[in-house]
Amino acid sequence: MNMNKEEAKQKLKKFMRDQVFTFTIESYPEGRWVAQCNEVDGIMTCGTGYDQGEMEALIQDAILSAAGIPKEFSSGIIKRVWSNDLSVIPAPSSEIKSNVNITLFQSTYAS
């Protein structure tokens, strides 16, 4: 099925149901990271290095993929609204893994 930009926007809006999507990012000393959505099981991505632009692109791609929207529509239908009050959150002691930092990455995605 071919999809136009307006159809992609509507599909994303229906998928997200006005939710705020937050991601827990586990970062490792050797430069790997894994991001998993807290609200929707199965939305996750990973990469190497800590280039914030690349992380953002991969997270957006994971959201679009879960919604069934081609990556070509990422520009203009999904964006991150920044929050300045984010910080590293200590993991509960039962979940602490050696050499892993748990970071909360909170994003609101909208068309």
Side-chain angles (χ1 to χ4, degrees):
M1 173 185 146
N2 288 333
M3 183 181 300
N4 65 39
K5 190 171 184 176
E6 191 55 41
E7 290 168 331
K9 282 183 179 182
Q10 291 305 314
K11 190 169 187 174
L12 180 63
K13 185 174 181 168
K14 183 177 178 182
F15 176 76
M16 294 186 68
R17 298 183 309 246
D18 295 322
Q19 292 184 78
V20 171
F21 282 6
T22 60
F23 287 81
T24 298
I25 299 176
E26 293 184 7
S27 56
Y28 299 86
E30 67 275 9
R32 293 183 307 114
W33 57 269
V34 176
Q36 184 167 355
C37 183
N38 300 311
E39 291 73 29
V40 181
D41 289 339
I43 298 181
M44 60 187 312
T45 190
C46 62
T48 57
Y50 298 108
D51 179 278
Q52 196 162 13
E54 182 181 344
M55 276 185 179
E56 180 65 18
L58 289 169
I59 290 171
Q60 288 181 1
D61 186 45
I63 293 169
L64 292 176
S65 181
I69 298 169
K71 183 179 178 177
E72 66 201 51
F73 291 107
S74 63
S75 178
I77 72 163
I78 189 169
K79 61 186 173 197
R80 178 173 181 204
V81 179
W82 292 88
S83 174
N84 293 327
D85 60 349
L86 300 178
S87 59
V88 175
I89 298 172
S93 59
S94 62
E95 295 180 19
I96 292 179
K97 304 170 193 170
S98 68
N99 297 322
V100 177
N101 297 315
I102 306 296
T103 305
L104 183 66
F105 173 76
Q106 183 174 345
S107 301
T108 303
Y109 292 91
S111 55

